[in-house]
Every structure is written in structure tokens, then in C-alpha cells.
Amino acid sequence: MNGGLLRFLPGSLMVLALLVKVPSLRREWDRPLNRTACLLLVLGAPITFLASPPTISAVNRATGVVNFSAPLVFSLATLFSGTCVVLVLRWRGGPAAAVRRATRLTAAVFGGAAVAIVVLFVIGDAPVERLRDLDTYYATTPWIREMIVCFLLAHTVGALALTALCAQWWRRADRSLRPLRTGLALIVLSGLLDLAYLAAKWAAFAAHWAGRDWVVLSTDVAPPLASGASLTLGAGFLVPLAGGSSAWRDLRHHHGLRPLWKALRAFASRSVTTVPLAWWSPLGIRLVHRESVIDDGLLALAGWFDPAVREAAYAAARRRGLDEGAASVVADAAVLAAACRSREAADRAGTAQPPPPPWPVGEWPPPSSNTSARSPGNAASAGSPRRCCPPTPR
């Protein structure tokens, strides 16, 4: 992967996350969390691009100020670090007064640091343009030195706070919230890479004070770490946004129904004419189509559901220690699998008529209302799902 792609990739992830977030921002502008998330993405998208040597040179020429990019990138990165901490504080939640105090303190500290960076650059003197080693070249220059220390301190505090907050939240987060936990893990990884970047910068900076030449840490070791941190941070914020969206939930539901759809589509096509889908059909239409095929397949197998199979499977599941909901899912799956086998065997033998049902007609809900058979993975969490067979005697 070349350096140009590395410069654009983190910013591109931030822009993608922003595009995902904008619709909810328009609907829920009054929510501080949404506003903070979008501010973070707006600040973070251009940083890695602006910090690249070609862009630094171009900005310096366009403004006519030597090293103008230094306070621009440093202040943006400082504000970005503070916004990350504010976002996590609001995202994690807690007592409203405590969250409000923490966010105000964070905004004051990092906002003040960004202003200090600009002021120190204005009163300092940096006449020689440095594209890659400004921090070590000006490590002993009055006011510019303080500007660099201010940036590194603010960045270090932000990275430590963000990493610690996300690590604590990740440990407490419910394991069922996969997008959230994945995003938090990526943000923690980003924080660790960012701390490694800062360690290289601090080491090179301090070595210059001590009369040693460790500039390679700042020019060659730190930039790849910063790119990796930006990339994983963008992915960390994008995963929960995309994972919590309705489109992602529909995609997961569509994928989860595939085994049941494959098992029932042949039976559905024998009873009704299935309308084919075009390759460009949207996901919502595909999901409705897949659910309709499953319903038609269940209707086609209605006469082949055997309550004795269900009772035996339910009893076996309970003996294995499963709770009532999980045992019901196992029993419904067993009934459905047995019905498929019986129908296939009858078709091969040329006797497509089902056996007479051993229960009174109308005593239990029809298969078309079966939610647990349609989505066995969700039936256990549904409380008391309607079943495709009569209730098992307790």
C-alpha cells in the first residue's frame, strides 16, 4: 500500500461515516450526541491529508506564511482529540449533570490548548520550512518549542482518556451488542497506536534537548503509526454507526433467513408461482420476497407437521438443560426438518397427499403465523413465540 493511499484512506472512512450519520443528524438535530459525532467526523476527515508533506508545502505557499500548516494541523488534531473524548462521554451516558460537567471541562481544556498553539506560533519565529521534522528542528526555539509541547501534551491526554474510557466501556458492554463492542475494540487499538506514535514523537523531541539525534523516530517511525491509528479510529466510529442502521439490520436478517429460505423454496414453488427478483432489486424488496417464500413454503408443508416429533424434540432439549424458549426453538426446527423429509419422500414415492392431522383443525395457529420457525435464532428472545405445532404438554 503506497503512502498516498494511506493518506486518503483514514479521511475517506471518516467521510463515509459522516454520510451514514447525516440522515439521523437531520432528523435528530436536538441530540447533542449526533452533533458531536458529526463535528468529530468533520474535524477528523482532513487531518491526515493536511499532515502529508505535499499538502503542507501547498498550504504554506497558498497562505504565504512559512510553516503555516504547523498550527493548522496541530490545532485541528487537538480539537479532534477533545471531540473524541466528548463523544465517548456522551455516548457512554450517565448522570446528566456529571456528563455535562465533564464535557464542558474537556471542551475548555482542549479548546484552550488549540488557541494556545495558534498564539504561540504567532509570537514565535519559524523562518525555515520543515515538511517532516518541524518538531525536532524547532525543539529548542523559543515559543515554537512551547507550541510543540502544548500539542503533544494535549494529544497525549486525549489519547489516554479516549483509550481508557473505551476500554472500560468495552469490558462492561453487553456481548450481544456486537457492532458496539467491535467499534470500541477498534478505538482502543487506535488509541494504543496513537500512544505509540506519541512515544516516538516525545522520544525524538526529548533526545534533541539532550543533544542526541533520534529524528528518525519522528520522520520514519511515527507517521505509519499515526496513519494506522487514524484508520482504525475511523473504522471504530463507522462500525457502530453502520451496525446500528436499519439497512444493516435488514442485511443481517436477510442473511439469517437464507438457510430456512433454501430449505423451503422448493416447496413454495410447488404451491404458488414465485415472482423472480431482478439483480438490482433493493434490499428491502429482497427481504420481503424471502419472507414471502418462507411463508409459502410453511403453508405447503402445513399438513406434514407432526406434533409427536415436536413433543419428543422438546423433551430432549429440556433434558439437555435448555430453557423453555430455546427448547421450543429446537422443537420447531425438528418438526420443520421432519416435515421436509416426509414431503420429499412422499414426492419421490408419488404420494403427495399428507397424512390426516392428529389434532383438531383450528386448535392451534396456522403455520403462516409461525415466527419462531421463520427465524429460529430470534425465537428464544421473543418470550412466547407462536409455534408451528400444538403446544407441548408440560
Side-chain angles (χ1 to χ4, degrees):
M1 183 179 292
N2 57 41
L5 184 57
L6 274 177
R7 284 196 297 270
F8 283 103
L9 193 54
S12 300
L13 275 177
M14 295 281 187
V15 171
L16 180 59
L18 182 61
L19 293 176
V20 172
K21 194 65 180 174
V22 161
S24 64
L25 178 67
R26 293 178 61 186
R27 294 191 304 268
E28 302 172 339
W29 173 254
D30 58 329
R31 293 187 60 192
L33 179 61
N34 282 346
R35 297 198 301 270
T36 305
C38 290
L39 176 62
L40 178 141
L41 296 171
V42 169
L43 289 173
I47 288 178
T48 52
F49 175 70
L50 290 173
S52 64
T55 309
I56 292 173
S57 179
V59 170
N60 292 340
R61 287 196 308 271
T63 59
V65 179
V66 179
N67 293 316
F68 179 86
S69 285
L72 174 62
V73 173
F74 286 176
S75 58
L76 272 179
T78 300
L79 292 173
F80 178 75
S81 297
T83 308
C84 285
V85 177
V86 170
L87 177 64
V88 172
L89 288 172
R90 287 178 169 168
W91 197 4
R92 190 178 60 171
V99 172
R100 188 163 51 249
R101 285 194 302 269
T103 54
R104 287 176 178 173
L105 177 61
T106 303
V109 169
F110 285 90
V115 172
I117 287 171
V118 175
V119 171
L120 290 169
F121 178 79
V122 170
I123 64 178
D125 185 23
V128 181
E129 183 181 60
R130 309 302 298 183
L131 301 181
R132 302 181 69 230
D133 62 345
L134 181 138
D135 48 355
T136 52
Y137 186 85
Y138 289 107
T140 56
T141 302
W143 303 120
I144 304 299
R145 170 188 57 211
E146 283 76 12
M147 178 191 74
I148 298 168
V149 170
C150 184
F151 161 68
L152 291 177
L153 278 175
H155 199 159
T156 302
V157 171
L160 287 171
L162 182 66
T163 305
L165 286 171
C166 289
Q168 292 172 4
W169 191 7
W170 179 85
R171 286 196 297 269
R172 295 198 303 265
D174 190 336
R175 292 185 178 275
S176 64
L177 303 175
R178 288 186 182 179
L180 174 62
R181 287 177 58 84
T182 302
L184 290 172
L186 287 170
I187 294 174
V188 170
L189 176 60
S190 169
L192 296 176
L193 291 172
D194 201 15
L195 290 172
Y197 158 82
L198 288 164
K201 284 289 187 180
W202 277 115
F205 191 67
H208 194 80
W209 282 350
R212 298 177 181 272
D213 183 13
W214 288 4
V215 68
V216 66
L217 292 177
S218 179
T219 58
D220 296 338
V221 175
L225 293 171
S227 296
S230 300
L231 183 62
T232 51
L233 184 65
F237 283 115
L238 179 61
V239 167
L241 292 176
S245 66
S246 59
W248 180 260
R249 290 193 296 269
D250 286 349
L251 180 62
R252 290 184 61 188
H253 189 42
H254 183 268
H255 179 73
L257 291 176
R258 178 176 174 78
L260 189 58
W261 169 76
K262 288 182 66 177
L264 296 176
R265 59 180 175 177
F267 303 112
S269 63
R270 296 171 193 172
S271 58
V272 295
T273 302
T274 303
V275 179
L277 287 177
W279 63 268
W280 61 81
S281 298
L283 178 60
I285 298 298
R286 291 183 176 275
L287 179 59
V288 171
H289 182 271
R290 180 159 289 185
E291 290 175 337
S292 299
V293 171
I294 290 172
D295 281 338
D296 293 335
L298 290 172
L299 285 171
L301 292 175
W304 302 86
F305 293 138
D306 188 350
V309 173
R310 186 181 198 286
E311 293 171 11
Y314 182 89
R318 293 290 283 167
R319 285 195 298 271
R320 292 200 304 269
L322 298 182
D323 58 29
E324 290 187 9
S328 294
V329 172
V330 171
D332 289 345
V335 170
L336 186 58
C340 291
R341 290 192 297 268
S342 299
R343 177 65 187 269
E344 289 173 350
D347 288 344
R348 286 194 299 269
T351 57
Q353 293 298 320
W359 59 86
V361 177
E363 183 177 311
W364 53 281
S368 60
S369 65
N370 171 32
T371 57
S372 59
R374 180 186 302 177
S375 183
N378 295 330
S381 62
S384 300
R386 290 183 291 181
R387 304 181 178 92
C388 64
C389 287
T392 301
R394 299 290 190 268

